[in-house]
Amino acid sequence: MYASRISRLTGSVAREILSHANNKDMLSFAGGLPANEAFKGLKLPDDEGSSFQYGASEGERSLRELFAERFQAKGIDCGFEQVLITSGAQQGVDLVSKLFIEPGVTVGIEKPTYLAAIQSFALFGAEFEPFGLEADGPNLEEFEQVLQKGDVRFIYLCPSFQNPSGICYSLEKRKAVAALLDEYEVTLIEDDPYGELNYTDACTVPICSFLKKAKWIHFNTVSKILAPGLRLGCLGCSPEFFPHLLKLKQAADLHSNRFSQAVVHQWLSDEDLMAKRTQQLRSLYHEKQQVMAQSLETHFKDLAEWNTPAGGLFFWLRLKEPVQIRELLGCCLKQGVAFMPGGPFFPTEDEGAQFMRLNFSNPPVERIDGGLKVLAEEIGKMVTLVV
Ligand SMILES: Cc1ncc(COP(=O)(O)O)c(C=O)c1O
C-alpha cells in the first residue's frame, strides 16, 4: 500500500530522454545541460579531511556568507542567517512543496513553466492557477486575476530567461509583479538558475528585491555556471520561513554534500575567476545560440515560430501545424536526435502539444545544423501525413 500522493506522481519525460541522451552518439537538444567543454578547469579543492565528517544542515557558514553577498549584490536584502544551502535548486522546489502544499492548495504558475516544479507541486496535491506569458513577462491582467482569487498559497516564477520559454521579464513588469504581490500579500517563490547567462543587457534584477510586504523565497544554483553534478544550490528567504525550511532540510538529507560545498566555496570566493568563467560561458553559449538561430531560419521557417531569447539555454518553438509530438520524438530518437516536447511544461499536457524546447548549450556546435535538419525533416514528414 502506497501513500495516496503516489497516484499523483508523474515520471519526468526530461529524465527519460536524458537516459537516451547519455548514449554518446545521441545528439541531444532535450536537456538543460551545460556544455561538457565548460567543465574543463574545474578541480577538487585540497581538503584537510573535514568534508568527510557530517556538517551543518544549513550549510557551511562561509559559503552561506558568500551566497548572501551575491544576493545583496543583486539588491536582495538577505543576511547569511536567511541562506540555506540546498542540494541544487531542485531541493528548494521540494522543500517549498513540503512547506506549503497539501491536497487542494492552489499555486499560481506561469504558463508554460518548469516541468519539475509542476511534477513536485502536483505530487503534494497542488491545484494550478496558470497565467499567460508575453514577450516581456506575465500578462498582468491574468496575473492579477489569479491573485484576486484569494486562495493562492504562493506564486512560482522564473523571471530571467525562463525555462522553457527563454522569456526575460522587463524591469517594468518585475516592478508591477512585485507591487501586485505586495498588494495581495501573496508569497513569491522566485527561481533564478539562468540570470547570469545573459547575452544582452536584459534586466535580471530579482523581483524579491522590490517586495515591501509580501514574503519571498529565492532559489539560486551553481548548476548552470559551474557544474550540475555538484548538486549544489541555495535559497534565501524571508526570516520567518527559515526555521521551517531548515527542519525540512534536516528531515530530507541532513545536509548537502560537503565536498561540493568546498568546491563551490573555492570558486565563488575568487571573484576574478568567477567573472572570467561567467564571461567565457556567456560567449560560448551566445555563439552556440547564434548558430542555432541561423539553422532554425534555414530549416524551420515554414514549420514553426520562435523568438531568440536574450539569455539562458533554450529556444521555445511553436509548431505551425499540430503533430503527434510523442510519435515525432520516437522517430527523432531513432535517428539519433533528441528534443523536449512541450506538454510537460503545462499543467495539462495537451496544452503544450504544439510546442518543443531546444537546448543549444550542450550540443557540439558543429552538429547543431545537422541535428536540426533531421528534426525538421521528421516534422515535415508528419505534417505531410496529417494534411
Ligand atoms: C527553472 C529551474 N529550476 C530548478 C532547476 C534545477 O536546478 P538544480 O540543478 O540546481 O537542481 C532547473 C534545472 O534545469 C530549472 O530549469
Side-chain angles (χ1 to χ4, degrees), residues 64-267:
R64 295 169 73 206
E65 285 172 347
L66 279 178
F67 274 117
E69 279 169 25
R70 288 167 72 84
F71 283 157
Q72 284 154 15
K74 292 179 191 171
I76 307 175
D77 179 17
C78 182
F80 82 91
E81 330 73 54
Q82 292 159 262
V83 173
L84 180 67
I85 303 297
T86 56
S87 304
Q90 188 61 33
Q91 188 175 45
V93 173
D94 177 63
L95 300 182
V96 158
S97 302
K98 290 171 175 164
L99 181 60
F100 292 111
I101 303 175
E102 58 202 342
V105 162
T106 304
V107 305
I109 54 169
E110 299 155 323
K111 194 167 80 168
T113 189
Y114 173 48
L115 79 179
I118 296 185
Q119 184 191 36
S120 176
F121 300 159
L123 170 65
F124 288 90
E127 309 283 338
F128 294 106
E129 280 291 348
F131 46 88
L133 287 178
E134 296 163 352
D136 61 346
N139 175 312
L140 291 176
E141 224 167 274
E142 288 181 32
F143 184 72
E144 185 162 13
Q145 276 163 11
V146 168
L147 297 177
Q148 272 167 348
K149 297 215 162 110
D151 60 352
V152 180
R153 187 74 45 100
F154 63 75
I155 297 278
Y156 169 76
L157 303 177
C158 181
S160 298
F161 319 123
Q162 200 242 17
N163 180 3
S165 69
I167 283 170
C168 191
Y169 294 18
S170 64
L171 178 61
E172 293 70 34
K173 284 245 167 127
R174 285 170 195 261
K175 287 184 176 166
V177 164
L180 285 166
L181 290 168
D182 274 339
E183 186 182 336
Y184 291 89
E185 290 190 53
V186 172
T187 296
L188 168 65
I189 310 297
E190 183 172 39
D191 199 355
D192 188 21
Y194 303 103
E196 278 160 271
L197 300 178
N198 192 346
Y199 315 131
T200 58
D201 57 355
C203 171
T204 58
V205 185
I207 293 180
C208 63
S209 70
F210 298 118
L211 291 176
K212 296 191 173 62
K213 262 163 106 182
K215 297 185 196 106
W216 54 274
I217 300 179
H218 181 90
F219 304 146
N220 194 218
T221 177
V222 301
S223 285
K224 313 298 172 178
I225 52 165
L226 288 177
L230 291 168
R231 304 310 308 127
L232 212 283
C234 78
L235 61 81
C237 62
S238 296
E240 51 269 66
F241 291 147
F242 189 84
H244 304 296
L245 289 164
L246 176 58
K247 284 185 213 138
L248 286 167
K249 167 81 181 162
Q250 288 165 356
D253 64 355
L254 305 184
H255 62 78
S256 292
N257 184 310
R258 296 188 77 191
F259 291 98
S260 294
Q261 294 189 62
V263 175
V264 173
H265 184 271
Q266 180 172 278
W267 276 87

Side-chain angles (χ1 to χ4, degrees), residues 333-355:
L333 288 174
K334 277 190 204 141
Q335 304 262 9
V337 182
F339 70 91
M340 189 60 210
F345 298 99
F346 293 81
T348 44
E349 276 222 36
D350 289 352
E351 287 181 275
Q354 260 175 266
F355 290 91

